[in-house]
Amino acid sequence: MKMPPQRFLKVTENVSRGAYPSLMSIKWLKDQGYRTFIYVGEGFPGREEARLVKELGISLQHVPISKINLPGSDFVDEDQLMNAHRIVNHQNGNVYIFDDDGVSSVGALSALLRFDTGWPVQSCCEEFSWLSSTSMDSLDASTLRNQLFTILNQ
């Protein structure tokens, strides 16, 4: 049965985000008009998923956003985040951005995209915290939220 990926959320008119899509979710996204997938996780999509994406005529790009683990915190690499932001903004058509869990890297990128559309910094950070609260411990979510707040206020 076709269904949206976990943590699927429309970010802008043409960009949605979520977790790594299953084979059925890939088909659902194709039916919804998504023609570009951008994976921002640190690994690379599995062979079966990559094969299906290619068969369906969907463009798959890998633009990693690394996590920088420090004692008691979890940051995303700011340069990689800004690079992914530029790449997403230069796509035509509907774009699906994802990472393994649909939270940290893709959440930070989504916050930047929301900010671009006029969302207040606090709202971007609150949405990130809400989406991450079910899968990250509160220290990591709080640290990333604070990092986002700093990035968005530059």
Side-chain angles (χ1 to χ4, degrees), residues 93-123:
N94 290 338
V95 178
Y96 179 64
I97 54 174
F98 65 102
D99 63 12
D100 296 324
D101 59 7
V103 179
S104 53
S105 298
V106 80
L109 181 54
S110 296
L112 286 176
L113 295 166
R114 292 273 199 210
F115 183 71
D116 289 346
T117 63
W119 274 41
V121 171
Q122 189 62 32
S123 297

Side-chain angles (χ1 to χ4, degrees), residues 78-98:
E78 207 170 307
D79 291 335
Q80 291 178 339
L81 176 64
M82 298 312 283
N83 180 52
H85 178 253
R86 280 189 299 278
I87 289 170
V88 169
N89 279 330
H90 285 93
Q91 300 299 314
N92 293 318
N94 290 338
V95 178
Y96 179 64
I97 54 174
F98 65 102

Side-chain angles (χ1 to χ4, degrees), residues 126-144:
E126 285 172 5
E127 180 182 72
F128 174 82
S129 293
W130 172 72
L131 288 167
S132 64
S133 64
T134 59
S135 63
M136 295 175 71
D137 68 45
S138 59
L139 177 62
D140 284 347
S142 173
T143 302
L144 269 170

Side-chain angles (χ1 to χ4, degrees), residues 14-148:
N14 297 323
V15 178
S16 295
R17 51 74 49 100
Y20 195 100
S22 67
L23 294 174
M24 294 281 86
S25 295
I26 291 169
K27 292 176 182 177
W28 183 88
L29 289 161
K30 166 76 173 176
D31 289 349
Q32 302 304 308
Y34 290 87
R35 301 293 180 261
T36 302
F37 288 8
I38 299 178
Y39 177 57
V40 297
E42 293 183 70
F44 196 77
R47 282 189 203 166
E48 194 172 354
E49 292 85 354
R51 180 193 52 76
L52 177 60
V53 165
K54 184 177 181 178
E55 283 177 12
L56 294 174
I58 298 169
S59 168
L60 174 61
Q61 299 179 41
H62 183 212
V63 185
I65 301 175
S66 301
K67 294 177 187 171
I68 303 168
N69 296 307
L70 301 171
S73 64
D74 193 9
F75 289 90
V76 293
D77 184 289
E78 207 170 307
D79 291 335
Q80 291 178 339
L81 176 64
M82 298 312 283
N83 180 52
H85 178 253
R86 280 189 299 278
I87 289 170
V88 169
N89 279 330
H90 285 93
Q91 300 299 314
N92 293 318
N94 290 338
V95 178
Y96 179 64
I97 54 174
F98 65 102
D99 63 12
D100 296 324
D101 59 7
V103 179
S104 53
S105 298
V106 80
L109 181 54
S110 296
L112 286 176
L113 295 166
R114 292 273 199 210
F115 183 71
D116 289 346
T117 63
W119 274 41
V121 171
Q122 189 62 32
S123 297
C124 295
C125 294
E126 285 172 5
E127 180 182 72
F128 174 82
S129 293
W130 172 72
L131 288 167
S132 64
S133 64
T134 59
S135 63
M136 295 175 71
D137 68 45
S138 59
L139 177 62
D140 284 347
S142 173
T143 302
L144 269 170
R145 188 190 69 241
N146 291 339
Q147 182 188 17
L148 279 173

